[in-house]
Amino acid sequence: MMRLKVYADRMSQPSRAVLIFCKVNGIAFEEIKVDISKRQQLSPEYAEINPMQKVPSIVDGRFKLFERFPTDLSRRAKINSVLDWHHSNLRHGAVTFVVNTVLAPGVGLPLNSQLATEGEKLLSSSLSKLENFWLKGDGQFLLGGFKPSIADLSLVCEIMQLEVLDEKDRERILVPYKKVLQWIEDTRYATRPHFDEVHNILYKAKRKFQEKRSKQTNNETGPTDKITLPSKI
């Protein structure tokens, strides 16, 4: 039997969602890295796998992502409605804000404060919609569910991208939304240990950005602001 192949970059939010989904559901697969920082998704070779040149891509003619979903067509339709909303709202706002606040220089683009402001506005309104509409119900997860679906993973992985922000910005954006914060932790717990394992690359990136900000702060402070104690030797 041909093994499933998942072409992904763990710095990509949708890639992480699919990887965690496969791991949690015990789906055997081979992970093949497509380095988006090197624009490998734009190569002619990858275009043969995915003409849209996006990650992730799943290669296996017999596999359908939604085969592991409940057979309830009504619930499946609701999950699709969440994902449709996500791509034009939460994802669009989060990507626009994070790219134009932190990530743009890494792909050779300038930071754009106007786009960052627009992105934060859409991100905040999307988090409010999550808090007050999508997370209604008796369950811990989206649409009142009692276990995370691919929709939960997709949205949580998107919000996790905020880890690379300055901690003050991240707290300012997320702290007002208590349900959202609890839902993120519930999703992490329900998908352990795979959630943190897949997000390790993001945690490493977070530490690198923190170190970079610390160095910039020290450079701006300047050596004249440092107090040198007399040597006791």
Side-chain angles (χ1 to χ4, degrees), residues 2 38 81 99 108 168 185 191 194 201-202 206 216-217:
M2 184 174 69
K38 298 178 180 177
S81 72
V99 166
K168 289 182 292 185
E185 288 307 307
T191 58
H194 310 297
I201 188 171
L202 186 67
K206 175 182 180 177
Q216 287 175 339
T217 300

Side-chain angles (χ1 to χ4, degrees), residues 10-23:
R10 293 190 178 199
M11 278 301 291
S12 152
Q13 304 89 302
S15 292
R16 294 197 300 271
V18 168
L19 291 172
I20 296 169
F21 179 83
C22 289
K23 288 172 178 283

Side-chain angles (χ1 to χ4, degrees), residues 30-89:
E30 177 186 358
E31 181 181 350
I32 301 172
K33 183 174 181 179
V34 180
D35 193 334
I36 56 179
S37 70
K38 298 178 180 177
R39 306 202 174 191
Q40 290 179 352
Q41 80 277 18
L42 303 179
S43 69
E45 294 79 10
Y46 187 71
E48 293 181 8
I49 296 167
N50 183 345
M52 299 300 292
Q53 297 182 299
K54 304 287 186 183
V55 290
S57 294
I58 298 172
V59 176
D60 185 344
R62 293 180 300 279
F63 179 79
K64 295 179 182 178
L65 185 61
F66 289 98
E67 282 178 349
R68 297 284 175 142
F69 275 26
T71 56
D72 183 345
L73 293 179
S74 174
R75 177 158 177 77
R76 190 179 299 186
K78 289 177 180 178
I79 288 172
N80 285 336
S81 72
V82 175
L83 292 172
D84 287 343
W85 170 84
H86 167 56
H87 285 290
S88 56
N89 291 275

